[in-house]
Amino acid sequence: MARRKKIYEGKAKVLYEGPEPGTLVQYFKDDATAFNAEKHDVVEGKGVLNNRLSEFFMTGLNAIGVPTHFIKRINMREQLIRSVEIIPLEVVVRNVAAGSMSKRLGIEEGTALPRPIIEFYYKDDALGDPLVTEEHVIAFGWASQQDLDDMVALALRVNDFMSGVMMAVGIKLVDFKIEIGRIWENDFMRLIVADEISPDSCRLWDMKTGQKLDKDVFRRDLGNLADAYTEVAKRLGVLPSNVTHATKPTLIN
Ligand code: 5GP
């Protein structure tokens, strides 16, 4: 059997050639990295959980008309996606101050922001993904003004959807990162949500206890990462936690 062609290998995922033109297979690894890959570990089961969770979020987004690259899940670790031209920006949306924003601006983690704040980071590992302004984005040709407007609109719709979905299961969506790609349909270009949406790329805090249920568990050594992601998946009904092995009814003749 011919080996399939690897297109790209990142820190947490591998992309393979898909079965049809314009498609790719996205494979979720168990690798966890932080601080630009200075910290690395293998967390058994993480890839399976993120494959499921990204499927769940992207399917929901597709259903409400927010276009994503997701086509279908193939197996435990792989999904079929549309091939896109990735815009070299990480789009971060923040509802609550945390992480790099808290550090940069001296705002205490957990402070609610007056409105969702969108930031752009230039995707470049060697530079540590620096924060950039819209001026940089346009001047250096990474995206046009129209693209930026479309990216902001997409990011805000993802934020509303994700915030609602997470709030319904008692989890606060503090912030998240998405990546956006271009696809061409005939002569028209569209921007769609790409990459993944999972606890690897979001901050998720339990609304009652404040417990962290995202990659900060790994970044800050707060416990078992797979347990945190499993909790998110269970609450969303993505894992069959409600399957109980109830005793069979006693038949009375
Ligand atoms: P911060 O800028 O505070 O480090 O991150 C903001 C949000 O974007 C967090 O939810 C974080 O998980 C996500 N994020 C930022 N950069 C990356 C990245 O390179 N990879 C992933 N998976 N998530 C990121």
Side-chain angles (χ1 to χ4, degrees):
M1 205 168 77
R3 257 179 95 83
R4 61 185 172 177
K5 191 171 160 201
K6 191 193 278 188
I7 304 289
Y8 173 81
E9 178 153 8
K11 286 172 272 206
K13 296 185 295 295
V14 188
L15 294 177
Y16 296 99
E17 200 170 59
E20 287 166 33
T23 66
L24 294 171
V25 172
Q26 179 164 253
Y27 175 96
F28 287 77
K29 302 195 280 187
D30 280 342
D31 298 65
T33 61
F35 314 119
N36 209 0
E38 274 170 35
K39 182 170 176 168
H40 175 256
D41 205 351
V42 174
V43 179
E44 203 180 321
K46 182 175 86 84
V48 173
L49 286 158
N50 281 351
N51 186 25
R52 285 273 183 176
L53 284 162
S54 204
E55 172 193 18
F56 177 79
F57 296 130
M58 298 252 183
T59 305
L61 286 167
N62 284 340
I64 62 162
V66 179
T68 81
H69 72 165
F70 181 82
I71 301 172
K72 67 170 185 181
R73 188 168 58 80
I74 300 168
N75 58 38
M76 297 275 278
R77 287 188 182 273
E78 294 177 325
Q79 48 185 242
L80 185 66
I81 57 169
R82 296 184 70 165
S83 172
V84 301
E85 183 188 302
I86 284 282
I87 292 180
L89 297 170
E90 296 189 339
V91 183
V92 168
V93 182
R94 301 178 187 272
N95 300 303
V96 174
S100 72
M101 177 193 242
S102 287
K103 246 193 219 155
R104 188 178 302 114
L105 302 179
I107 305 174
E108 195 184 344
E109 280 213 325
T111 308
L113 298 172
R115 49 172 245 185
I117 293 176
I118 300 178
E119 298 171 337
F120 298 99
Y121 293 83
Y122 180 51
K123 268 168 68 72
D124 186 316
D125 282 343
L127 298 175
D129 298 343
L131 178 68
V132 292
T133 68
E134 295 196 2
E135 287 285 306
H136 296 119
V137 172
I138 293 166
F140 296 124
W142 299 323
S144 67
Q145 183 63 59
Q146 181 64 55
D147 294 336
L148 277 170
D149 294 346
D150 292 349
M151 285 197 281
V152 167
L154 266 182
L156 288 175
R157 289 194 73 191
V158 173
N159 187 43
D160 284 347
F161 171 79
M162 292 290 295
S163 294
V165 166
M166 299 315 299
M167 197 169 96
V169 296
I171 295 174
K172 175 82 193 162
L173 178 67
V174 171
D175 57 33
F176 64 93
K177 180 263 305 186
I178 52 170
E179 295 189 22
I180 292 174
R182 299 175 199 281
I183 52 164
W184 274 270
E185 280 158 355
N186 302 318
D187 284 344
F188 293 95
M189 189 275 291
R190 273 209 306 160
L191 298 183
I192 68 174
V193 178
D195 191 50
E196 73 179 291
I197 303 180
S198 74
D200 263 10
S201 50
C202 302
R203 281 200 174 89
L204 305 170
W205 295 354
D206 182 276
M207 285 168 81
K208 276 206 194 108
T209 64
Q211 188 193 354
K212 294 182 184 7
L213 298 169
D214 56 64
K215 203 161 111 180
D216 275 349
V217 170
F218 170 72
R219 293 189 189 103
R220 303 180 187 188
D221 294 319
L222 300 175
N224 184 300
L225 192 67
D227 287 351
Y229 289 17
T230 301
E231 176 64 22
V232 175
K234 269 192 194 159
R235 288 200 202 181
L236 292 168
V238 174
L239 283 188
S241 66
N242 47 0
V243 176
T244 55
H245 299 282
T247 50
K248 288 201 180 103
T250 308
L251 295 176
I252 301 165
N253 291 315

